[in-house]
Amino acid sequence: MVIYRARVFDTPDSPFTGGHLRSASDIALVVDDGLITARTDWSTARAAHPEAEVVDLREGVLIPGLVDTHVHLPQVRAIGHLGRPLLDWLDHCALPEEAKLADDAYAEAVAGEFLTGLQAAGTTSAMVFGSHFASAMDIFFSAAAEAGLRITSGLVTSDRNLPEPLLTDVDRSVAEGQALIDRWHGAGRLRYAVTPRFSFSAGPELLASGGALAEANPDIWVTSHLNENRDEIAGVAEIHPKALDYLDTYDRAGLLGRRTVLAHNVHPQDRELARMAEVGAVAAHCPTSNSALASGFFPLRRHLDAGVRVALGSDVGAGTGFNLLKEGVQSYFMQQLDPTGGVALGSAHLLHLATAAGAEALQLDEVGDLSEGKRFDAVLIRPAAGEPLDVGIRHAGDDADALATIFAMGTPADIAEVWVDGEPVKAA
């Protein structure tokens, strides 16, 4: 048993529906075997557990573990290629890198770099867009199990419009997908997601085979891309002429439901938003990627008004890194500038999008905030003394301003410690 004495910020109640930042300058979290058994004042905790180990974290700020709802495993070495729109960027930057994961040694090196990137950034849970190669997925799931993070991922499938080594067919995709499900889904903190790359590279039959996998394994997940780029949307319409719109390509295939996470959705139709809300599908908002690829302004207000759930994704490697603090502040910038009228975001909104909203989206009910009864997935923000972030936190007018400062300036270098289920995955 451990008592963590800390300054804590979290958002158990959504600021988008009337909740507020919950903050405490000196509170005790009693953690037993990874479970927060009490959240109380220091004297009460110490009196109740006089023999417990005490860890004093008050020199920093403790927040819940960050949750990334869209990040690409094979693209860790493709971060930083700027100045291209989506389809051009894929052809010249991402896809050549992804093809290299056919080599097991390369896939193993990339898996290690990718998981290190998540840990360093304080990401404790992630929906990971995997590899086109089943062997690379076995390597990644094995490495993720050892790393201890909460990972949902799957084999990426395509049958057109990509380089030939990245293509599959219905029979092979089903056989490889089911084998991966049997080996990894539910193993420790790992879960499987059916992952068609997007409807621009997956025809109706291949999408339907993914739907059949989801039907045969009803507790697995689905993830893909949606309405990211106007040229992509036009291409999807040509490949799927019977579909009502981009979203309908997934719906017809049996891929749309409560366990579906769709990245981007920068250019949705009203019908698509209504249908996403009806089934409970999630939009993964990826602000730095939307900016880097000039995809457009994410219509957050339209999503919220329609009742569509939204969480943050880094979209490495079109996104500019694993840092969800940066994604939060970039979301703020883009909402400020959205010519159609963005949502006024405060620091509590940003923390919620990066933590509790992602946990709720991925049905990780055991994490997302630091309440009694939750697992201890946590991140300690502790910049070096005298650095601008340290100065900003110490001189902030209130806790909301201190949190805003963290989002404005925080980097992985300011993340001192990270825990998953009470176990350290990044230590000072």
Side-chain angles (χ1 to χ4, degrees):
M1 181 175 293
V2 181
I3 301 174
Y4 293 94
R5 190 174 182 182
R7 183 182 187 185
V8 178
F9 296 169
D10 64 355
T11 55
D13 300 312
S14 172
F16 292 101
T17 55
H20 301 280
L21 174 66
R22 181 173 65 169
S23 61
S25 60
D26 185 0
I27 201 165
L29 300 177
V30 181
V31 178
D32 188 6
D33 194 25
L35 179 70
I36 302 173
T37 59
R39 178 183 172 120
T40 185
D41 63 89
W42 161 247
S43 59
T44 299
R46 195 55 170 153
H49 306 285
E51 304 301 321
E53 177 188 356
V54 176
V55 178
D56 193 335
L57 304 175
R58 287 176 295 166
E59 289 186 359
V61 175
L62 194 70
I63 64 172
L66 300 168
V67 182
D68 191 334
T69 59
H70 185 70
V71 55
H72 288 256
L73 161 66
Q75 294 179 13
V76 63
R77 298 184 181 185
I79 301 168
H81 292 280
L82 304 178
R84 298 179 185 270
L86 171 65
L87 299 181
D88 189 31
W89 179 84
L90 286 170
D91 287 342
H92 290 88
C93 306
L95 298 179
E97 179 63 29
E98 297 205 18
K100 296 177 183 178
L101 269 71
D103 178 82
D104 286 355
Y106 197 90
E108 184 174 4
V110 166
E113 293 164 355
F114 177 86
L115 290 163
T116 296
L118 292 180
Q119 292 169 324
T123 299
T124 56
S125 303
M127 173 68 86
V128 176
F129 222 82
S131 170
H132 287 267
F133 303 102
S135 57
M137 290 311 302
D138 273 320
I139 289 167
F140 173 62
F141 276 127
S142 179
E146 184 174 348
L149 303 182
R150 303 183 193 274
I151 297 294
T152 307
S153 188
L155 179 71
V156 181
T157 57
S158 296
D159 63 359
R160 64 195 69 199
N161 286 336
L162 297 186
E164 192 280 332
L166 301 179
L167 302 182
T168 188
D169 57 44
V170 167
D171 291 341
R172 178 181 158 198
S173 68
V174 170
E176 291 180 339
Q178 188 62 59
L180 287 165
I181 292 166
D182 293 341
R183 277 195 294 276
W184 297 110
H185 183 64
R189 302 182 187 120
L190 305 178
R191 304 184 303 185
Y192 191 84
V194 172
T195 311
R197 185 173 199 106
F198 55 172
S199 297
F200 183 72
S201 69
E205 296 81 10
L206 188 63
L207 290 180
S209 71
L213 267 181
E215 183 178 15
N217 303 272
D219 61 342
I220 64 172
W221 287 75
V222 175
T223 191
S224 194
H225 298 90
L226 178 68
N227 291 324
E228 182 177 2
N229 170 282
R230 294 195 185 279
D231 290 339
E232 164 212 16
I233 295 168
V236 168
E238 293 181 4
I239 294 167
H240 301 266
K242 295 182 180 180
L244 298 173
D245 43 43
Y246 199 152
L247 183 75
D248 195 43
T249 65
Y250 301 124
D251 207 352
R252 286 170 175 263
L255 291 169
L256 193 64
R258 172 62 183 84
R259 292 172 179 260
T260 303
V261 178
L262 297 170
H264 303 298
N265 209 26
V266 176
H267 306 286
Q269 299 183 29
D270 289 344
R271 193 210 72 84
E272 293 174 301
L273 291 173
R275 181 60 177 154
M276 289 180 71
E278 180 183 4
V279 302
V282 176
H285 174 30
C286 306
T288 69
S289 172
N290 294 164
S291 301
L293 299 181
S295 298
F297 290 91
F298 177 72
L300 179 58
R301 185 177 302 282
R302 289 178 60 205
H303 282 74
L304 296 176
D305 288 348
V308 178
R309 293 173 304 123
V310 176
L312 281 183
S314 67
D315 198 27
V316 162
T320 58
F322 291 92
N323 182 11
L324 284 181
L325 300 175
K326 179 167 61 175
E327 296 299 332
V329 78
Q330 184 68 18
S331 177
Y332 166 82
F333 292 151
M334 296 188 77
Q335 291 302 307
Q336 288 284 95
L337 294 171
D338 187 346
T340 66
V343 177
L345 298 175
S347 59
H349 296 97
L350 304 185
L351 182 62
H352 188 77
L353 286 169
T355 58
E360 195 273 338
L362 299 182
Q363 291 189 357
L364 295 170
D365 299 334
E366 68 273 28
V367 298
D369 62 79
L370 295 171
S371 298
E372 184 176 318
K374 298 282 189 173
R375 308 302 297 183
F376 190 69
D377 284 20
V379 173
L380 181 66
I381 310 292
R382 190 177 61 207
E387 292 288 340
L389 179 55
D390 172 59
V391 173
I393 292 172
R394 286 191 288 107
H395 293 281
D398 56 25
D399 289 341
D401 283 347
L403 181 59
T405 301
I406 289 170
F407 273 95
M409 291 193 284
T411 72
D414 302 305
I415 293 174
E417 298 184 64
V418 181
W419 297 263
V420 175
D421 224 13
E423 295 294 326
V425 297
K426 176 182 179 180

